[in-house]
Amino acid sequence: MLLSAYFFIMALVLGSFFNVVAIRLLKKQSVAFPPSNCPNCNHKLSALDLVPVLSYLFLKGKCRYCRVKISPLYPFGELLTASSLFVVYKFVGFELELIPAVIITIVLVLAVLTDIREQLILDIITLPALGILLIARLFIGTEPFWFYLLGGIVGFVLLLLIAIVSRGGMGGGDIKLYAAIGVALGPWLTLMSLVLASFVGAVVGSILMVTGLVKRKQPIAFGPFILIGTIGAYLFGYEIWDWYIGLW
Ligand SMILES: [Zn+2]
């Protein structure tokens, strides 16, 4: 219990760092310098302004110094990071497999944070992670290395085909992201990740359109659905498959 709480709080802090990483990499700025300041009044933020989620709540979503509204994407990014990592940690457990699991989860969270801001999934995050995952899969996994390598190829080729058919509906960032997902999950669960992501995306997209929250033809970032589909497939893929087969 105490360990879980500690893990969750650490993940919240990590999420707060990932917000900064996403924003600064999108602006092609250094991640390490300068220290955080308000984007409106440039006032340097103190430790009290940077407590994940709580600072946002206590400051009622406004900068302490100039009262300008703070984007709700900050607490969203913190909670997304913490809940994603927490779920993965709870279901994978303290095993070697947690290494590739955490790497792909971090890549997915960062992809969501850049995708919802600028409709971009950045190579500078995805490609190094792809390399690290390939190395990790040489040593970690229940299947031989070629299985995960095949997963990467399946993810890459599949998304490339979708990109060609949909003529720009998928970007290059999604294609490389799916290569990384493939190396982490192997071919079967990668396919399921895509099916789940498309299904959840279609359901949520219809709801958003019916309720008028987004306009028809307005692009919706696909990153959040890739995250849900991939973590869902990774943790519960074989159970979902058994359940689906049992329906027939
Ligand atoms: Zn300010």
Side-chain angles (χ1 to χ4, degrees):
M1 181 61 205
L2 202 63
L3 189 67
S4 293
Y6 177 76
F7 187 89
F8 192 81
I9 292 168
M10 283 297 116
L12 277 174
V13 175
L14 202 59
S16 157
F17 172 65
F18 288 166
N19 279 328
V20 176
V21 170
I23 292 167
R24 294 200 179 172
L25 288 182
L26 281 171
K27 288 185 188 158
K28 299 194 164 46
Q29 291 171 343
S30 155
V31 170
F33 294 99
S36 295
N37 47 15
C38 167
N40 183 56
C41 67
N42 267 330
H43 198 293
K44 189 172 167 302
L45 300 181
S46 75
L48 264 182
D49 303 311
L50 295 168
V51 182
V53 186
L54 294 181
S55 288
Y56 183 83
L57 292 178
F58 282 129
L59 295 170
K60 300 197 178 67
K62 294 191 188 100
C63 169
R64 183 198 303 273
Y65 311 99
C66 69
R67 314 304 300 163
V68 82
K69 212 167 158 280
I70 302 167
S71 165
L73 286 180
Y74 285 95
F76 168 78
E78 290 155 1
L79 288 171
L80 179 76
T81 307
S83 45
S84 305
L85 285 173
F86 189 74
V87 167
V88 166
Y89 161 70
K90 272 289 165 192
F91 281 91
V92 175
F94 213 67
E95 305 283 334
L96 266 183
E97 178 64 24
L98 195 58
I99 296 171
V102 162
I103 295 170
I104 195 63
T105 305
I106 290 174
V107 173
L108 288 164
V109 166
L110 285 168
V112 171
L113 295 182
T114 57
D115 202 18
I116 54 179
R117 283 188 170 88
E118 306 259 342
Q119 264 96 55
L120 278 174
I121 293 174
L122 300 173
D123 287 353
I124 195 170
I125 297 166
T126 312
L127 292 183
L130 176 62
I132 296 169
L133 280 167
L134 278 168
I135 294 168
R137 279 304 186 207
L138 282 171
F139 307 102
I140 303 167
T142 48
E143 306 286 342
F145 176 71
W146 65 260
F147 180 83
Y148 299 106
L149 184 63
L150 179 66
I153 295 168
V154 166
F156 183 86
V157 171
L158 208 61
L159 268 283
L160 184 64
L161 291 176
I162 295 174
I164 293 169
V165 173
S166 71
R167 290 180 202 185
M170 287 282 169
D174 300 282
I175 301 172
K176 282 162 258 177
L177 178 61
Y178 255 95
I181 292 171
V183 174
L185 271 65
W188 308 124
L189 295 179
T190 300
L191 287 173
M192 180 169 284
S193 150
L194 191 61
V195 172
L196 287 179
S198 312
F199 178 75
V200 177
V203 170
V204 173
S206 319
I207 293 172
L208 290 177
M209 266 184 238
V210 169
T211 54
L213 284 170
V214 298
K215 291 188 185 68
R216 218 168 276 271
K217 296 278 170 194
Q218 184 180 336
I220 306 173
F222 196 53
F225 306 115
I226 298 180
L227 176 130
I228 294 168
T230 302
I231 293 182
Y234 176 70
L235 295 179
F236 311 112
Y238 294 111
E239 282 92 337
I240 295 172
W241 180 248
D242 287 342
W243 167 78
Y244 180 75
I245 291 297
L247 289 178
W248 300 95

